[in-house]
Amino acid sequence: MTVAVVGAGTIGLSWTTLMLAKGHTVRVTDPRPDLAQAVRDAVREFAPTVPGFTGDVEELLSRVEIVGSVEQAVDGVQAVQENGPERLEFKQDLFATIEKAAPADALILSSTSGLTPSSMSSKMADPARLVVGHPFNPPHLIPLVELVGASADEVARAKEFYLSLGKVPVVVHQEVRGHVANRLQRVLFEECVNLVEQGVVSMTELDDIVTNSVGVRWATVGPFLAFHLGGGPGGLRHMMSHLMPYIPVDVQARLADQAETVYPLADNEKRAAERDRQQLEIIALKERDDDVR
């Protein structure tokens, strides 16, 4: 498969490396004058950290095509990953250009971290072709990619493509600025800033708190499952009713019903054992690498 990467900043170079490592030919375009050198340097730096990659970096570079325009980049490709500046008018014009020059069946994907597909696709003849495939930086290493789009068929095609790259694609069902991961990160970071500014803890103390508590826990089970398991036999329903009176009762009921559907209480003992196993592995890895700081 030939994939076009439009925009070769940090995200675009990371995508380029991942796609090369997964066997694709990658055609890259960006107005930066050092494009060819930037791609070579990035692939050599990033490839050893692509999960599971054990190949030859120079072989990857043999499948890179550097081109001078968007039209050249997307001609005949099966997928386009856009990584341009976060300026709405720029992206609107860019996607109109991509749509006209790319094959009718090519995936058109955007790495945008904050803009919505409906706003970026306003100048396209078929706006539903655009799907946001927002990675968590760096995409060659971190598994998540958030999918948002108007067409269920295009989102499904995008999901299959990202799965083939070894990603963990998650469909976001409504457009929200910033998508999901960045919104969560922003809220947590704002509170981190508040606590440090108020003198409650120092910066390094706060980092130690997070990496030795919720960081370990959420890496294994995530917020909802963590509380569902922490609630004992009563699960999330018990946890919320006893410790979360600030959540309206009807919301508690809806969340508890959903938790008990997707995470049946009968399986929680097995889930808790797996959580503990994974947490112990993370803790052991942290202890082994403590000298990094």
Side-chain angles (χ1 to χ4, degrees):
M1 178 185 289
T2 299
V3 181
V5 171
V6 177
T10 302
I11 299 296
L13 293 170
S14 180
W15 274 126
T16 296
T17 305
L18 177 63
M19 292 169 181
L20 289 168
K22 295 302 179 179
H24 302 304
T25 295
V26 182
R27 200 176 295 155
V28 188
T29 189
D30 188 287
R32 61 188 296 173
D34 64 337
L35 178 58
Q37 187 63 50
V39 170
R40 287 193 293 270
D41 291 346
V43 171
R44 288 170 178 148
E45 178 184 353
F46 296 158
T49 59
V50 172
F53 177 72
T54 58
D56 177 22
V57 173
E58 298 308 310
E59 189 278 326
L60 300 190
L61 289 170
S62 72
R63 288 186 273 109
V64 175
E65 299 177 4
I66 304 296
V67 297
S69 71
V70 171
E71 290 85 352
Q72 287 177 286
V74 305
D75 181 35
V77 302
Q78 287 74 54
V80 180
Q81 185 78 45
E82 176 273 335
N83 318 277
E86 290 287 279
R87 301 198 304 270
L88 180 56
E89 187 173 353
F90 173 86
K91 286 191 186 285
Q92 289 171 338
D93 292 337
L94 177 59
F95 284 116
T97 299
I98 289 172
E99 181 188 35
K100 290 176 184 176
D105 60 350
L107 283 166
I108 300 179
L109 309 163
S110 175
S111 297
T112 180
S113 61
L115 299 173
T116 60
S118 62
S119 65
M120 294 187 295
S121 63
S122 64
K123 295 183 181 180
M124 295 175 67
D126 182 4
R129 289 190 66 187
L130 178 60
V131 177
V132 166
H134 170 243
F136 206 70
N137 192 32
H140 72 275
L141 180 61
I142 305 297
L144 177 69
V145 59
E146 297 175 284
L147 303 181
V148 193
S151 166
D153 289 341
E154 288 302 296
V155 169
R157 291 180 63 218
K159 184 174 183 178
E160 288 302 311
F161 173 64
Y162 287 120
L163 283 170
S164 75
L165 297 178
K167 304 293 287 179
V168 177
V170 177
V171 177
V172 177
H173 303 287
Q174 296 182 30
E175 290 187 349
V176 288
R177 286 188 63 85
H179 318 305
V180 177
N182 281 348
R183 290 170 70 97
L184 294 172
Q185 184 173 238
R186 176 180 175 179
V187 171
L188 182 60
F189 188 65
E190 285 179 352
E191 185 58 16
C192 291
V193 172
N194 289 337
L195 291 168
V196 171
E197 282 292 292
Q198 292 168 18
V200 177
V201 286
S202 70
M203 185 178 291
T204 55
E205 288 164 345
L206 189 136
D207 281 347
D208 284 341
I209 288 170
V210 171
T211 57
N212 289 284
S213 61
V214 292
V216 175
R217 178 176 294 168
W218 288 358
T220 59
V221 292
F224 281 110
L225 183 53
F227 281 125
H228 193 46
L229 296 177
L236 184 62
R237 192 179 306 274
H238 173 79
M239 180 69 77
M240 289 190 297
S241 65
H242 281 71
L243 298 178
M244 304 176 188
Y246 50 86
I247 300 177
V249 174
D250 61 326
V251 176
Q252 290 188 28
R254 285 196 297 273
L255 291 174
D257 288 346
Q258 184 174 344
E260 290 164 12
T261 298
V262 297
Y263 303 126
L265 288 167
D267 299 329
N268 272 5
E269 185 174 345
K270 184 186 302 182
R271 288 193 190 92
E274 179 62 14
R275 171 205 61 193
D276 292 347
R277 183 191 66 78
Q278 292 181 4
Q279 289 182 164
L280 286 169
E281 289 184 5
I282 292 171
I283 292 167
L285 181 63
K286 279 169 49 61
E287 289 175 347
R288 191 191 75 190
D289 295 339
D290 257 352
D291 58 351
V292 169
R293 286 203 322 192

